[in-house]
Amino acid sequence: MEIRREDELVKIFPVELRRMLVRLEWYSRGLEEIRVRVGQPLMFVYGGERRYLHRSGKQLCRDWREGLFVNTEQVQEMMMYLCDYSKYAYARQLKDGFVTLPGGIRVGVAGEWLGEEKSQWGVENPMFLNIRIPGEKKGCAAWVLPYILQEERVLHTLILARPGAGKTTFLRDLLREISMQEWCKSVAVVDERYEIAACQKGVPTNDMGVHCDVYSGVEKGRGCMQAIRTMAPQVIGVDEIGGDEEGEVLAYAMQCGVSIVATMHGGSFGEYQEIIRQKKKYGQLHFQRIIRIKKGEEGKRSYAIYDGEGKTLCANT
């Protein structure tokens, strides 16, 4: 049964706010984030534009001063719903500061932080929530395939973008497109934070294609090694690389003949080169294609594809 993200979102709001939201048209394809901050107005982000729930509860408004301010009790009620009335059931995710809901909805949690020796979970008094709605845009990466395929082999590819530019959405669709190729036998996705395949009880809620195996909730380096040893992948997909161990494992995977498709924070090819230079264990990595994504003020995205030496192969502005 298809999961309606609107239904999943409404269920986590306090009863008082839920009654208001069911009367409004607040959910649309352009919705990217919902920010819940104690003592601040409830905010919806649509492609870079901000809207606030009006204090009357009857409409959304542009002026935050007219918004309905969230109180401590409402945030605590939301956490109760998020954790299904038991914060310990989500202790493993909360240690990393987030909870994943059906449909790939990811809720970042901030507040008073306690160390593991004092608490079984990370945030003791959560007061700030960032509800990120994933954008599953099938076909958005299909045009890239001719640039990253060499006969029936995927070239090592890195997607480079700043936070919020859509690199995870692009990665998800690119892996799906690769998985759908007739020559493809196995794509392994290491989904450490449940953002790519958005598995629930191990089952992907996002379409990852017919030849895809998913490792959810496992640290990227360990997940990659498990995939290499057990699933014989042609391609491994990972999101937001950066740790030294990850660089070492990815370099090992490349040496084993496995193609790597990954993302990294960065805004230009020059930034990518600097990151690689600074991280000693990334010195053995050699991405053959770099896809740079930039997001403009109005939400419009531009793309550029480089080879491993920085030569521009394609620029779509």
Side-chain angles (χ1 to χ4, degrees):
M1 184 175 64
E2 182 179 357
I3 294 173
R4 295 184 72 246
R5 287 175 177 157
E6 181 177 359
D7 295 338
E8 295 299 325
L9 284 169
V10 168
K11 288 192 297 186
I12 69 174
F13 280 96
V15 173
E16 179 184 1
L17 298 181
R18 196 182 307 173
R19 289 170 179 165
M20 299 176 184
L21 293 175
V22 295
R23 298 196 298 263
L24 300 176
E25 293 185 6
W26 56 273
Y27 186 87
S28 70
R29 291 181 63 87
L31 180 63
E32 296 178 355
E33 290 182 351
I34 304 173
R35 294 278 184 165
V36 183
R37 300 181 172 108
V38 66
Q40 301 298 331
L42 180 63
M43 183 176 77
F44 299 83
V45 180
Y46 301 89
E49 294 188 0
R50 302 169 187 171
R51 298 289 185 273
Y52 305 90
L53 178 62
H54 193 271
R55 65 174 67 100
S56 67
K58 296 181 179 180
Q59 62 184 11
L60 299 182
C61 60
R62 294 177 181 270
D63 190 345
W64 64 268
R65 299 170 187 83
E66 299 178 0
L68 179 67
F69 285 61
V70 178
N71 59 44
T72 300
E73 291 73 22
Q74 289 170 329
V75 177
Q76 290 175 343
E77 187 178 346
M78 288 188 71
M79 285 303 301
M80 183 174 64
Y81 297 142
L82 279 170
C83 296
D84 196 21
Y85 295 89
S86 174
K87 65 183 180 183
Y88 302 105
Y90 288 89
R92 187 161 170 269
Q93 289 188 39
L94 282 169
K95 273 174 51 179
D96 293 324
F98 69 92
V99 176
T100 304
L101 304 179
I105 301 166
R106 186 167 179 265
V107 184
V109 181
E112 182 181 5
W113 186 271
L114 292 180
E116 292 184 28
E117 70 279 3
K118 295 181 180 180
S119 175
Q120 293 186 27
W121 62 312
V123 183
E124 177 67 12
N125 292 306
M127 292 296 163
F128 310 92
L129 307 178
N130 177 19
I131 306 170
R132 297 182 62 182
I133 293 85
E136 188 179 16
K137 299 179 181 178
K138 293 184 180 181
C140 70
W143 64 275
V144 169
L145 289 179
Y147 295 96
I148 69 167
L149 293 182
Q150 197 170 74
E151 296 181 351
E152 294 185 352
R153 178 179 175 273
V154 178
L155 300 176
H156 303 307
T157 301
L158 182 70
I159 301 167
L160 198 67
R162 300 197 186 282
K167 59 183 174 296
T168 302
T169 298
F170 198 84
L171 172 68
R172 180 189 305 116
D173 192 63
L174 184 55
L175 294 173
R176 186 189 65 83
E177 290 284 351
I178 294 170
S179 173
M180 293 298 292
Q181 301 301 306
E182 290 189 9
W183 51 263
C184 181
K185 298 177 182 177
S186 176
V187 174
V189 175
V190 182
D191 195 3
E192 182 176 6
R193 295 183 296 180
Y194 299 85
E195 289 190 285
I196 306 173
C199 289
Q200 288 292 312
K201 296 183 178 180
V203 180
T205 59
N206 288 325
D207 184 0
M208 298 307 300
V210 295
H211 303 123
C212 188
D213 307 305
V214 181
Y215 292 81
S216 295
V218 62
E219 183 273 328
K220 286 187 280 288
R222 178 174 294 182
C224 288
M225 288 303 297
Q226 288 181 356
I228 293 169
R229 291 168 177 167
T230 63
M231 301 304 287
Q234 294 169 285
V235 178
I236 290 179
V238 294
D239 197 15
E240 295 187 3
I241 62 173
D244 284 341
E245 182 184 353
E246 296 163 12
E248 192 171 18
V249 171
L250 292 177
Y252 172 75
M254 289 179 176
Q255 295 169 8
C256 292
V258 180
S259 299
I260 300 298
V261 180
T263 72
M264 177 185 285
H265 287 301
S268 67
F269 186 84
E271 287 186 28
Y272 155 71
Q273 288 183 308
E274 182 63 19
I275 292 170
I276 295 298
R277 186 186 68 80
Q278 292 179 359
K279 293 182 176 293
K280 295 181 179 179
K281 293 187 178 180
Y282 276 59
Q284 300 179 60
L285 289 180
H286 179 65
F287 286 101
Q288 299 160 297
R289 294 292 183 266
I290 313 294
I291 303 172
R292 189 267 298 148
I293 306 175
K294 286 188 177 180
K295 183 179 179 182
E297 293 182 359
E298 297 180 357
K300 185 178 180 181
R301 290 170 176 81
S302 63
Y303 302 85
I305 302 177
Y306 309 93
D307 67 10
E309 306 305 319
K311 178 183 177 182
T312 302
L313 304 178
C314 173
N316 174 14
T317 57

